[in-house]
Amino acid sequence: MLNKEIALIFIRIADILEIKDDNPFRIRAYRKAAQQIESLSEDVSALRDKKKLEDIPGIGKDLSKKIEEYIRTRKINFYEKLKKQTPKGVLEFIEIPGVGPKTAKVLYKDLKIRNLEDLQIRAKAGKIKNIPGLKEKTINNILQGIDFLKQSRGRIPLHIAIGISSEIISKLKKVKNIKRIEAAGSLRRSRETVRDIDIVASSKNPKKIMAEFVKVPKAEDVVAHGLTKSSIRTHGNVQVDLRVVGDDSYGAALAYLTGSKAHNVRLREIAVRKGLKINEYGVYKVKGKARASGMRIAGKNEKEIYESLNLSYVPPEMREDRGEIEAAGKKTLPKLIEITDIKADLHMHSEASDGILSLEEIAEISKKKGYEYIVITDHSKTLGVAGGLSKKDLFRQMKQIDMINKKMKGLRILKGTEVEILGDGRLDYSDAVLKELDFVIAAVHSGFKQPENVLTERIMRAMENKNVSMIAHPTGRLMGVRDAYEINMEKILKCARDAKTTLEINSYPDRLDLNDINTKAAKEAGVTIGIGTDSHTREQFDNMAFGISVARRGWLEKKDVLNTLNLEDFLRKIKKT
Ligand code: DGT
Ligand code: CA
């Protein structure tokens, strides 16, 4: 979907216009349009095809033309011109999360800071203190924001990379003589972000495959065109590498290019100890001429590579040298959870708060997904911006759910809420209200900047509430927007275990929270994990796959995950007595 890209450009246009003191109405129009486009459930390209762009509230002739221009050319000329007229430093500053156009202007015009490096050095040295219009807190945010930008620069979110690679792979699958093809690298390991996309294929005719690869519609630029290795750049500057090998080496090439590098290094050490050599063509006995075909003992598929080293097959998501090599040697690898183990979605919003689907629609889609039960978890009253439900609305929804359940077969809707954890750890509904619900999710959506001990205590207090079943997105990070807030994860995990409160893996692609590392730590601490999609639209139900990827990277098995239980066991397990 191009929606996000276009929304971001509109926000940037508004920022630049604001810096230029342009007409406030015009600025507001761009911001509003960005909001509208971001919350659309349908792809803008689909709306364009149906000639319905102007039906989007806030999108008139001018903006709809700009959207069309972007769909056609992946550029908006007006924006390109604006960027050219704006100093580079200013453009960098507005990219920093938490830095608005006003601050960017102060930094550039009043303080004459010209780029990010400069800004970082001067902020760290305490040289931008006591400046009118710049609060102490803003300076801290700037420094954190720069760190965040530097870390994430050049990496793209997994779901976007999957979209690009699937399109290219499905094109190449149709080429004659292609035998096997799949994505490798960090994408196959399901890392939450990837730097570039690595694809591996096998064929008798690599030349033909390469010729087709550099011609795929996604290729905006050909970086290298070789006989067995080529690279292209797609829109958004994403590099895609393709490696083609003979089919007998496919497993070896796939394993090598899947990595991680740290995992590969460990495999090589084991090979050396056994008098073997491992590379992207196979595993060989070292004595005699290495790589002579007679000496090869494995290479066609990954399983035989691991077996030749006396290891169990390691699923790609675990290949990070986080203990999997030892476990594979002892044959004690966990049997990782699969998406088919999931019996319910624990986190979903209806039109009653900020979702767009009715309860009936949600139930219908969930049935198609094969779920046995689901929990409706609309926002609570304080979260006005997201249409939080008053107590009265919540009780009305409970009645509605009873009525639907009475008529419906094959799926049970459970009553829930995503209740706000208020600034001091109290909850947004009273215990008497929460008691009436089947499954209560509690979440922080405000006060992210509280000190670590305050935030930790605040969440612990919520976890200890007898009515709270699960904490949603426990660290609050939003990729590309803000980092996790400061909490003491060790304390949170211990408290979650003792209070029998589940922690969520939120499957929303920008959240993936808990992340892989925290998930593994949670499992080791004896904490139960629940996986929710936080769906607001029909398409978002599919995000469950991303939550499963995180779970697998965190070594979770079916038994570690709450919503693999059938309804009866689930209801028994969430009782906190
Ligand atoms: P990325 O692209 O930064 O998200 O992460 P990867 O893991 O996809 O890394 P990439 O694209 O640089 O390389 C793909 C795989 O190739 C990597 O996972 C392991 C393998 N590889 C790359 N460089 C080396 C190396 O120096 N030694 C070994 N043993 N393997 C390497
Ligand atoms: Ca890569």
Side-chain angles (χ1 to χ4, degrees):
M1 297 231 290
L2 297 176
N3 301 23
K4 245 189 159 154
E5 295 168 26
I6 296 174
L8 186 65
I9 291 178
F10 283 4
I11 291 171
R12 291 289 174 256
I13 291 178
D15 287 346
I16 298 175
L17 292 177
E18 201 169 328
I19 289 168
K20 290 166 70 105
D21 289 323
D22 204 280
N23 178 346
F25 291 105
R26 195 170 177 213
I27 297 168
R28 208 166 317 135
Y30 275 104
R31 293 210 192 282
K32 271 207 174 138
Q35 253 172 9
Q36 289 293 345
I37 295 169
E38 258 211 294
S39 58
L40 284 177
S41 63
E42 218 179 332
D43 197 334
V44 279
S45 318
L47 288 174
R48 192 262 323 245
D49 294 345
K50 287 190 260 177
K51 302 207 177 337
K52 285 198 162 165
L53 281 178
E54 282 182 45
D55 291 359
I56 307 171
I59 306 285
K61 228 189 189 76
D62 176 50
L63 292 186
S64 90
K65 268 201 185 133
K66 291 199 166 71
I67 297 174
E68 282 198 37
E69 183 188 349
Y70 190 81
I71 296 172
R72 240 182 318 112
T73 65
R74 296 293 195 270
K75 269 196 185 119
I76 296 176
N77 236 325
F78 175 61
Y79 177 51
E80 299 302 319
K81 267 198 207 137
L82 275 181
K83 279 200 293 191
K84 281 209 186 92
Q85 298 161 0
T86 314
K88 196 167 149 275
V90 173
L91 294 177
E92 283 185 352
F93 299 161
I94 53 179
E95 295 276 328
I96 307 173
V99 172
K102 282 194 195 72
T103 309
K105 202 166 161 184
V106 172
L107 294 172
Y108 192 86
K109 279 216 173 119
D110 303 346
L111 297 174
K112 311 236 174 320
I113 302 177
R114 291 293 172 253
N115 56 48
L116 272 191
E117 302 300 323
D118 226 23
L119 174 59
Q120 196 174 23
I121 293 167
R122 287 178 56 182
K124 269 195 187 148
K127 288 200 176 142
I128 50 174
K129 275 192 179 147
N130 307 324
I131 310 287
L134 264 192
K135 287 189 220 127
E136 178 80 33
K137 217 168 122 191
T138 315
I139 298 171
N140 282 336
N141 291 354
I142 289 176
L143 280 172
Q144 277 177 18
I146 294 178
D147 280 345
F148 183 76
L149 257 190
K150 284 192 169 165
Q151 272 170 31
S152 56
R153 194 175 265 174
R155 297 193 70 86
I156 48 168
L158 179 66
H159 68 285
I160 294 184
I162 289 178
I164 298 172
S165 90
S166 325
E167 199 180 315
I168 294 175
I169 289 176
S170 69
K171 281 261 168 347
L172 292 180
K173 270 189 175 160
K174 294 189 193 123
V175 179
K176 205 177 151 215
N177 276 329
I178 195 138
K179 189 118 190 183
R180 288 186 274 176
I181 180 163
E182 71 200 278
S186 46
L187 187 151
R188 181 160 179 248
R189 303 198 309 279
S190 300
R191 266 193 73 173
E192 59 195 31
T193 60
V194 313
R195 185 179 50 84
D196 63 8
I197 298 171
D198 310 275
I199 301 177
V200 180
S202 68
S203 171
K204 287 191 296 209
N205 188 356
K207 203 170 161 190
K208 172 82 183 141
I209 313 292
M210 285 307 172
E212 295 297 326
F213 173 60
V214 297
K215 280 198 314 221
V216 291
K218 276 243 172 295
E220 282 195 352
D221 193 12
V222 178
V223 182
H225 184 171
L227 198 59
T228 61
K229 221 175 137 178
S230 297
S231 300
I232 56 169
R233 261 181 212 291
T234 70
H235 157 67
N237 214 13
V238 181
Q239 180 160 333
V240 185
D241 297 345
L242 173 68
R243 183 78 174 254
V244 184
V245 294
D247 201 52
D248 278 347
S249 289
Y250 183 77
L254 184 61
Y256 181 84
L257 287 164
T258 298
S260 63
K261 194 170 160 186
H263 180 86
N264 286 355
V265 168
R266 295 293 306 276
L267 292 185
R268 198 182 311 136
E269 284 167 8
I270 294 175
V272 169
R273 253 183 274 136
K274 290 184 184 302
L276 301 170
K277 179 185 162 86
I278 181 170
N279 60 25
E280 56 266 62
Y281 302 100
V283 181
Y284 304 85
K285 291 220 166 102
V286 170
K287 288 194 191 83
K289 269 186 278 161
R291 271 186 67 175
S293 59
M295 307 299 288
R296 181 157 67 184
I297 59 168
K300 198 170 168 77
N301 59 56
E302 280 191 326
K303 200 154 169 272
E304 62 180 43
I305 305 257
Y306 283 97
E307 277 167 3
S308 73
L309 303 175
N310 249 330
L311 301 171
S312 316
Y313 171 78
V314 181
E317 296 92 334
M318 296 180 80
R319 299 182 195 170
E320 298 287 352
D321 192 20
R322 292 181 187 153
E324 76 280 6
I325 301 270
E326 290 76 6
K330 286 191 260 170
K331 322 275 165 184
T332 55
L333 282 175
K335 186 180 178 309
L336 297 184
I337 182 173
E338 315 252 354
I339 195 157
T340 47
D341 293 329
I342 294 293
K343 295 207 165 63
D345 195 332
L346 301 180
H347 189 162
M348 32 203 5
H349 296 270
S350 79
E351 62 189 355
S353 63
D354 56 348
I356 62 165
L357 300 165
S358 66
L359 294 177
E360 286 85 355
E361 286 168 320
I362 292 175
E364 219 38 62
I365 306 167
S366 303
K367 265 210 258 185
K368 282 205 190 107
K369 285 250 162 229
Y371 293 148
E372 190 182 326
Y373 55 102
I374 54 169
V375 195
I376 300 295
T377 53
D378 279 314
H379 291 289
S380 64
K381 58 178 197 267
T382 296
L383 206 60
V385 288
L389 273 60
S390 68
K391 182 175 135 190
K392 203 168 135 205
D393 290 339
L394 183 64
F395 277 99
R396 191 179 309 134
Q397 183 179 66
M398 288 191 231
K399 271 205 191 125
Q400 210 186 338
I401 291 177
D402 280 335
M403 270 164 40
I404 300 176
N405 275 334
K406 238 181 241 161
K407 284 186 286 184
M408 187 174 51
K409 286 203 178 67
L411 180 85
R412 168 86 173 271
I413 306 179
L414 299 177
K415 300 164 193 162
T417 177
E418 179 177 11
V419 66
E420 286 301 295
I421 302 177
L422 304 174
D424 56 2
R426 279 178 310 123
L427 300 173
D428 199 15
Y429 295 126
S430 69
D431 284 337
V433 173
L434 296 175
K435 201 161 59 58
E436 297 301 315
L437 297 163
D438 299 306
F439 190 78
V440 171
I441 303 181
V444 169
H445 291 108
S446 62
F448 307 126
K449 299 276 176 202
Q450 286 177 338
E452 178 185 304
N453 61 334
V454 176
L455 254 166
T456 305
E457 291 289 330
R458 182 176 162 199
I459 297 174
M460 280 168 53
R461 189 165 163 199
M463 286 196 281
E464 280 162 356
N465 184 307
K466 287 273 176 287
N467 297 305
V468 171
S469 315
M470 180 165 91
I471 302 294
H473 40 76
T475 79
R477 68 132 168 211
L478 262 186
M479 283 189 247
V481 178
R482 61 166 184 262
D483 250 334
Y485 34 70
E486 309 264 332
I487 46 171
N488 182 328
M489 194 40 85
E490 210 175 314
K491 279 193 186 162
I492 297 274
L493 294 181
K494 191 166 169 302
C495 178
R497 181 198 54 204
D498 294 345
K500 294 199 169 64
T501 304
T502 296
L503 296 185
E504 182 185 49
I505 293 176
N506 186 293
S507 312
Y508 212 80
D510 297 342
R511 289 195 181 271
L512 303 182
D513 176 13
L514 299 176
N515 67 9
D516 51 357
I517 306 263
N518 287 331
T519 296
K520 188 156 182 268
K523 173 180 172 153
E524 283 159 9
V527 175
T528 302
I529 299 288
I531 308 180
T533 60
D534 206 346
S535 285
H536 293 71
T537 68
R538 183 180 291 272
E539 294 74 24
Q540 291 171 355
F541 283 60
D542 294 337
N543 289 341
M544 184 62 81
F546 298 115
I548 294 288
S549 293
V550 175
R552 289 172 63 88
R553 285 181 59 83
W555 292 41
L556 297 195
E557 302 183 75
K558 184 178 175 187
K559 67 172 170 48
D560 301 316
V561 176
L562 182 63
N563 42 327
T564 62
L565 295 174
N566 64 36
L567 179 60
E568 199 185 326
D569 291 342
F570 172 85
L571 291 173
R572 196 176 313 124
K573 172 107 180 174
I574 59 174
K575 280 216 177 84
K576 276 188 172 183
T577 39

